[in-house]
Amino acid sequence: MSGLRVVIAEDGVIVREGVAGMLRRFGHEVVAAVGDADELRAAVREHRPDVVVTDVRMPPGFSDEGLQAAIELRAADPELPVLVLSQYVEQTYATELLDSGGAPAGVGYLLKDRIGEVTEFVDALAAVAAGRTVVDPEVVRQLLSRRRDPLHRLTAREREVLGLMAEGRSNAAIARALVVSEAAVAKHINSLLTKLDLPPDADDHRRVRAVLAYLRG
């Protein structure tokens, strides 16, 4: 993917400038880097970026102003890709974000710690900009721990595959992570979808949404 036009919203100057510098090194253009939710809304209206990166907690209340701004922006422009960063896992925040928009625009929810994993973070941003869903592995782990039944029907390897699917990974990426063939991954996916009564779908984006909706349910 060629360089993206990015708006960053983060009240911490060090983190904001660090993310901006990182993205520029990877060939992306940071068209605006702002410190609160109102500035985020204005920057998106002015620059119409390819993707937005925003913290959940923003001034003045430091509750969920950044998240709510992201949801509002997606409501106004359902095709706007948004990657939200959070200091801690908040399943309510993740759910609100994933349920917003309703269109095939990309959406992501990551812990801020992932910024330090530079290549993975930049890849996640590119995936969101390309219309995919990306979810932090820790969020997925907590969702998996909540759903005991009927997840007990799955083999250990199928649970691994389900977790990686929920993170938004493609078949090829799952195969690389587990050091198996894509054919083996496809077989595991077909098996687990059947066991969970989920419809098969070749589209990664819709498949991720279906798995996440199941886990949250």
Side-chain angles (χ1 to χ4, degrees):
M1 175 178 288
S2 59
L4 299 167
R5 300 176 67 257
V6 186
V7 166
I8 299 171
E10 159 64 51
D11 65 286
V13 176
I14 293 175
V15 175
R16 184 170 70 235
E17 293 306 315
V19 171
M22 177 205 310
L23 296 180
R24 291 187 183 107
R25 288 197 300 275
F26 278 80
H28 302 304
E29 180 187 0
V30 178
V31 295
V34 301
D36 64 46
D38 288 339
E39 290 179 338
L40 169 59
R41 295 182 183 92
V44 170
R45 286 194 298 269
E46 178 181 353
H47 298 286
R48 300 194 60 81
D50 298 317
V51 61
V52 169
V53 179
T54 182
D55 190 7
V56 167
R57 300 177 188 273
M58 301 278 280
F62 292 98
S63 56
D64 63 349
E65 287 88 347
L67 174 70
Q68 294 306 322
I71 291 171
E72 290 172 23
L73 290 168
R74 280 173 58 80
D77 180 5
E79 296 185 357
L80 176 67
V82 173
L83 174 59
V84 169
L85 305 177
S86 180
Q87 191 72 42
Y88 308 102
V89 173
E90 291 280 0
Q91 291 184 13
T92 301
Y93 293 163
T95 297
E96 280 191 73
L97 180 67
L98 292 166
D99 287 343
S100 69
V107 61
Y109 180 91
L110 293 178
L111 292 180
K112 276 190 175 179
D113 289 349
R114 307 302 171 196
I115 294 173
E117 300 166 7
V118 175
T119 302
E120 289 81 359
F121 178 77
V122 174
D123 286 347
L125 180 69
V128 170
R132 290 173 53 194
T133 300
V134 176
V135 179
D136 195 275
E138 181 61 21
V139 176
V140 173
R141 187 192 67 77
Q142 291 195 14
L143 289 171
L144 285 169
S145 69
R146 285 176 47 210
R147 289 299 299 255
R148 296 295 184 186
D149 181 25
L151 292 183
H152 70 273
R153 302 177 194 166
L154 305 184
T155 66
R157 179 47 60 93
E158 287 169 350
R159 283 178 63 90
E160 284 185 286
V161 171
L162 180 67
L164 293 169
M165 288 171 65
E167 290 174 26
R169 301 204 197 189
S170 65
N171 285 20
I174 294 172
R176 287 194 297 272
L178 299 180
V179 196
V180 298
S181 68
E182 287 191 50
V185 170
K187 182 178 178 181
H188 289 309
I189 289 173
N190 288 335
S191 175
L192 71 88
L193 290 177
T194 298
K195 291 178 180 179
L196 300 179
D197 295 322
L198 290 173
D201 199 321
D203 183 280
D204 283 345
H205 182 74
R206 289 196 298 267
R207 189 178 70 185
V208 172
R209 293 296 182 91
V211 168
L212 288 169
Y214 172 83
L215 291 175
R216 295 190 337 249

